[in-house]
């Protein structure tokens, strides 16, 4: 078991990065918070991100010894009792472990990511104007499950390192290659440049998923529920419809993405 | 525009059913709260549920006149200013309309629901031990999109009329036939009795979704993420796997359901 530091006083200044994480989530900040063992595992396996400090519930220490042994030397592992941890975090922290992390090195550009994903024959997912934290997290989770090579987000989309997006992604935002830069139009240009077929979902889509086939890797563009993608962006993309009951308005955007990515994955492996 | 009642005092006793709805959500109560226009639309179209009172933001009244004209006579439509509504609800209420609703008549039994869904050749979805409100709501939304004839829930599963489940379901819990009764084993018996093929998802599943085909209506059993379905329940069911990246643990349960239901829907319509 690596060395730990007991935190007896919730106002300890070393706890600053873990303080009131739920409220500060909305304000943006340097670094990010990873919650729970599954996300911590992803963080410890990441090449793009590294932990800077941990905060662990005392009664979870023994069960976490394998994970904690992978924490790099020099990264402090703080330990608190239940009540202290809740007071620091600002809400009941059932997960028992928090890590503060930071990005290392330079984030790749959308053009670099599309080029390397295309070289692997993998689809990419492009989020345009998706501000909802849960949806962005779920899009990452589904993109990872079905082998997407990268996730691209325009700047109006939610930052993937928001606490809730990380949690809903089950930590895949710390493993998947991604970039958040530019506009939908610029991301479309990057995808085309890399040779992608560009597709969007539409209830009035020209073809079904089954008809889409497996011909060349696809860049799947996702717009916000309700508003969707702009007419300008849709112009020249292929539109795919998911067959569903006629009176139904739409699916959740991450769910729709999962259905399409799953179909592409099965087509690709046939 | 139907007659409205101005609420100037947030402590007005007629506001009791709308008070602190977020906190009371966890405690259970008679009736339920429907938020927003999409859910209200479903409530007003429901044969199983009816509104008992509405609370509307004053500046949304004009835009809601079509919906409000469908509110049955005798159901009070209260109107409040923004600040008053937030104080009543206990949090910032962006949606602009709340309805309190109640169930009418007798809820059908699982056996009745499986019999009528089977008669229509529609799949059913069975939730076993799914306690998460968002997941239950999302399962309903996806079941409705892909034409499920009913949703069955065992008693450990979250009640579909919890505020958050209703909201995430975009009101489909007020339109889809459903029952929450008994154990997974009892629900399995009802499905078999009605002639359903019973299937469960498993990463080690015997067949892929594509191989499952369209032979007879299916009852899709869903277990909680992590724990899954019991070995006893799985015994004798067909297991289907969703092909995905080998290092990925699992999908969200409602997302996995959407993928399977979408595949069944497409198979069925071929």
């Amino acid at each position: 078991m690596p060395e730990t530091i007991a935190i007896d006083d919730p106002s300890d200044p070393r706890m600053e990065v873990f303080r009131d994480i739920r409220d500060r989530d909305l304000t943006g900040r340097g670094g990010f918070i990873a919650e729970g063992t599954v996300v911590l595992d992803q963080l410890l396996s990441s090449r793009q991100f590294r932990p800077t400090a941990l905060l662990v519930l005392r009664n979870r220490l023994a069960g976490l010894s394998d994970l904690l042994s992978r924490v790099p030397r020099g990264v402090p592992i703080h330990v608190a009792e239940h009540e202290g941890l809740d007071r620091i975090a600002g809400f009941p922290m059932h997960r028992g472990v928090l890590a503060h992390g930071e990005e290392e090195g330079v984030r790749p550009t959308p053009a670099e990511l599309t080029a390397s994903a295309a070289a692997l024959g993998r689809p990419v997912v492009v989020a345009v104007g998706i501000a909802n934290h849960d949806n962005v997290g779920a899009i990452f989770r589904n993109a990872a499950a079905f082998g997407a090579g990268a996730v691209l987000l325009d700047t109006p989309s939610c930052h993937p390192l928001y606490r809730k997006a990380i949690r809903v992604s089950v930590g895949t935002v710390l493993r998947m290659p991604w970039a958040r830069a530019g506009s939908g139009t610029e991301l479309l240009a990057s995808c085309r440049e890399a040779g992608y077929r560009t597709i969007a979902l539409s209830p009035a889509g020209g073809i079904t998923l089954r008809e889409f086939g497996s011909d060349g890797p696809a860049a799947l563009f996702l717009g916000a529920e309700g508003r969707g993608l702009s007419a300008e962006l849709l112009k020249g993309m292929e539109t795919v419809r998911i067959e569903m009951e006629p009176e139904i308005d739409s699916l959740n955007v991450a769910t729709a993405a999962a259905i399409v990515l799953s179909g592409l994955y099965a087509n690709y492996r046939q």
Side-chain angles (χ1 to χ4, degrees), chain A:
Chain A
M1 177 68 69
E3 201 177 323
T4 60
I5 303 159
I7 300 292
D8 299 318
D9 175 7
S11 67
D12 190 309
R14 292 171 293 188
M15 292 300 96
E16 211 44 56
V17 294
F18 299 111
R19 202 171 305 289
D20 296 329
I21 51 176
R22 191 154 63 173
D23 297 331
R24 288 165 68 207
D25 195 31
L26 296 170
T27 63
R29 62 191 185 284
F32 59 87
I33 292 290
E35 298 166 87
T37 55
V38 176
V39 178
L40 178 59
D41 177 44
Q42 299 279 308
L43 175 57
L44 293 172
S45 309
S46 171
R47 278 173 293 186
Q48 187 77 23
F49 302 99
R50 62 182 186 85
T52 62
L54 269 73
L55 175 57
V56 183
L57 197 58
R58 182 171 302 284
N59 68 17
R60 297 290 300 280
L61 263 182
L64 290 171
S65 60
D66 282 356
L67 264 182
L68 296 181
S69 69
R70 291 165 52 203
V71 174
R73 254 171 222 286
V75 175
I77 301 175
H78 304 101
V79 176
E81 304 294 339
H82 222 302
E83 196 193 329
L85 199 151
D86 290 356
R87 280 184 56 198
I88 293 162
F91 67 108
M93 256 303 306
H94 305 295
R95 286 168 192 260
V97 57
L98 292 175
H100 179 264
E102 284 179 352
E103 186 151 14
E104 294 201 295
V106 178
R107 176 156 293 287
T109 65
E112 288 164 352
L113 290 175
T114 48
S116 54
L120 297 167
R122 289 182 175 273
V124 297
V125 177
V126 188
V128 180
I130 300 193
N132 180 287
H133 301 188
D134 299 67
N135 284 344
V136 165
I139 287 167
F140 270 88
R141 183 177 185 182
N142 297 338
F146 297 112
V151 176
L152 309 178
L153 309 100
D154 69 347
T155 47
S157 289
C158 155
H159 197 295
L161 294 178
Y162 271 115
R163 187 180 65 89
K164 189 115 189 261
I166 296 175
R167 197 177 78 200
V168 173
S169 86
V170 291
T172 55
V173 301
L174 304 175
R175 291 293 294 281
M176 288 280 298
W178 59 267
R180 179 169 166 272
S183 66
T185 310
E186 289 164 331
L187 297 176
L188 177 61
S190 292
C191 292
R192 290 216 170 112
E193 180 71 24
Y196 276 97
R197 287 176 77 176
T198 53
I199 58 175
L201 292 168
S202 164
I207 53 174
T208 64
L209 196 53
R210 205 177 282 263
E211 290 157 353
F212 184 77
S214 58
D215 197 26
L220 173 62
F221 280 68
L222 304 170
E225 283 181 68
R227 205 167 58 249
L229 297 168
S230 71
E232 187 206 334
L233 208 53
L234 282 172
K235 202 163 42 187
M237 280 197 211
E238 293 178 83
T239 54
V240 170
R241 69 177 184 277
I242 298 173
E243 292 172 281
M244 68 182 87
E245 290 287 281
E247 76 272 21
I248 295 294
D249 190 40
S250 73
L251 295 166
N252 168 274
V253 61
T255 303
I259 291 170
V260 173
L261 291 168
S262 159
L264 295 174
Y265 193 78
N267 286 345
Y268 174 73
R269 289 161 58 95
Q270 262 197 325

